[in-house]
Structure formats: C-alpha cells, structure tokens
Amino acid sequence: MMKLALLGDSYPTQVRVNPRALGELEVVWVGQSRESFFREVPRLRPQVLALDFMDLGQVPTELIPGMLESTGARHALISYRLPHSPLIDALRSPRVSFLRGPVPLSLLRLRVNRSLDDLERAGRPVRQAPMSQAPGARAPRFSPEQLGRLMELSTQEGCECAPQLARLVGGLRGFWEYTAGCEQHDEKEQRLHELLDRQMTRAREALEEGLVALLEHGNLRL
C-alpha cells in the first residue's frame, strides 16, 4: 500500500470527513504545522507528499527539497492558491508536480496515481516501504477547516455544487489575502489595490451566500 503524508490547512478536515476518498492510499500523517511535519513524518517514510500552500511566493525554495530529503519520499504533489513562477520553474521535475488548489481528495488520489505512473515511465519506480477588508465588508463566513469539509460533501446525490463553490471561495480568499500584502509604491497603485479589494470582497461574499443557500437547501451542517 502506498504511504501518503498530507500537509495543509484543510487536509485534516477533509480526511476526517471523507476518509475513503483516497482509496488504496494509506495516510500515515496529516497536519497543518511544518514543524510537526519535520518532527514526525521522516520516521514514517511516506512515498508521496501532498503539500498545500496558500501562496507559493511565501514558500522558501529549500523547503520542499528538504521535505523530500528528510522523508525519503519519491514524489511531492504541491497545490497552491497563488502561483510563483520562479519557484515552480526551479522545482518542477519528475519528483515534484504542481496543481492549483484547494484540491478535493478524489482529485488528489487521481493526481498521486498519475504522478507515480509518470515516475515509473521515467525510470524511477516507486517501491513499497516496509487581511484588510473593504469598508462594510463581512468577515469570511467559512474557516479553512469548514471549506475543507465542504469540498468533500455534496448537497444531494450526484451534485457537486457545494465542493465546487468551496474551491472557488478558497481561491478568492487566497487572492484577497495576497493583495492585502502587496507593496503600494504610489497613489495609483493604492487605488488599484483598493479596487481589487472591493471586487474580491464582493465576489467572496456572493459565493459565500451561495454556499449558505446550498447548506440550507440540503439541510447540511458543518
């Protein structure tokens, strides 16, 4: 059985809500803390790492290679809300792949299996191991943990509206938080970022209202 370690704000909730979504993959560790990862995961010897980051621009270049080296993992699957091309270009290889998150566990399973197939074709077989807010804006209605839970739920049989909306809300929140930290060198840039803040806030609030409506319609509770 392939061993998988997951690091990210929403992964613990996703695994708790939908533990069967990863199928044959064995989750040996799931958490949110990088410090706990380096302290606990190396001895577990996972073959694959699933690492979720809000902003790749805030990820040190040496972090992911260090995680691979310390754990002995053969592949790292990196999901993100905000890309950072220099990091992606520096790390992309048969051992490291990227996709935009947040990621439902069902998609994560498919991507992990695809990455392992790519490794085998590349001659690397995998062995089994013994924010600021606009004036009047509402605070976010859903925490990362709640969004993670929603990504693993459906409002009715065959309906994926709630998971899809949860992904959109997570992505908007990531961009909204990112713009709050942008440097603004002059008044023109300040006005531009104020506009972005207002528009992202409106979009987030509208999508959150849609999520609330879906939850009420399906009698779902977080």
Side-chain angles (χ1 to χ4, degrees):
M1 184 175 292
M2 193 62 56
K3 293 184 177 181
L4 174 68
L6 302 98
L7 173 70
D9 286 343
S10 66
Y11 278 147
T13 302
Q14 289 177 256
V15 172
R16 184 171 64 253
V17 170
N18 197 6
R20 298 182 180 180
L22 291 171
E24 71 283 358
L25 300 176
E26 178 187 359
V27 177
V28 296
W29 188 89
V30 57
Q32 300 173 321
S33 166
R34 298 181 191 181
E35 291 76 14
S36 297
F37 179 97
F38 280 107
R39 185 172 60 251
E40 300 169 6
V41 176
R43 61 183 174 81
L44 302 175
R45 310 307 291 174
Q47 284 98 347
V48 181
L49 308 178
L51 310 173
D52 183 55
F53 301 102
M54 181 66 70
D55 181 3
L56 288 183
Q58 302 300 315
V59 177
T61 304
E62 67 276 8
L63 177 65
I64 294 169
M67 288 178 163
L68 285 167
E69 182 178 358
S70 67
T71 61
R74 305 304 299 270
H75 189 80
L77 182 62
I78 315 301
S79 56
Y80 58 89
R81 313 297 184 279
L82 301 169
H84 184 60
S85 296
L87 182 72
I88 294 175
D89 293 341
L91 296 182
R92 192 188 300 276
S93 71
R95 293 189 66 197
V96 180
S97 57
F98 294 85
L99 75 161
R100 190 176 293 274
V103 183
L105 295 183
S106 56
L107 176 59
L108 179 64
R109 176 187 178 188
L110 291 174
R111 288 299 301 264
V112 167
N113 287 327
R114 182 186 304 171
S115 298
L116 296 177
D117 289 342
D118 291 343
L119 274 177
E120 291 177 353
R121 285 194 295 269
R124 294 183 175 89
V126 180
R127 300 178 181 177
Q128 300 290 337
M131 274 164 295
S132 67
Q133 299 186 38
R138 293 193 303 264
R141 293 190 180 190
F142 300 95
S143 68
E145 291 78 11
Q146 289 174 320
L147 290 174
R149 180 179 176 85
L150 283 169
M151 282 192 290
E152 304 304 327
L153 295 178
S154 295
T155 56
Q156 61 185 23
E157 187 68 26
C159 178
E160 295 296 325
C161 289
Q164 293 297 328
L165 268 181
R167 294 186 70 188
L168 289 173
V169 171
L172 276 175
R173 281 191 59 183
F175 181 71
W176 178 56
E177 293 172 3
Y178 172 80
T179 58
C182 285
E183 294 185 6
Q184 301 170 23
H185 301 288
D186 54 37
E187 184 178 350
K188 184 177 180 180
E189 287 190 0
Q190 182 179 353
R191 290 198 302 270
L192 173 61
H193 282 82
E194 288 174 352
L195 172 64
L196 291 174
D197 185 40
R198 291 193 300 272
Q199 297 300 328
M200 289 303 101
T201 298
R202 290 171 184 168
R204 173 182 58 79
E205 291 177 350
L207 290 178
E208 287 178 339
E209 288 179 2
L211 272 177
V212 170
L214 282 171
L215 293 175
E216 292 176 349
H217 176 73
N219 294 318
L220 299 173
R221 294 185 179 181
L222 294 177

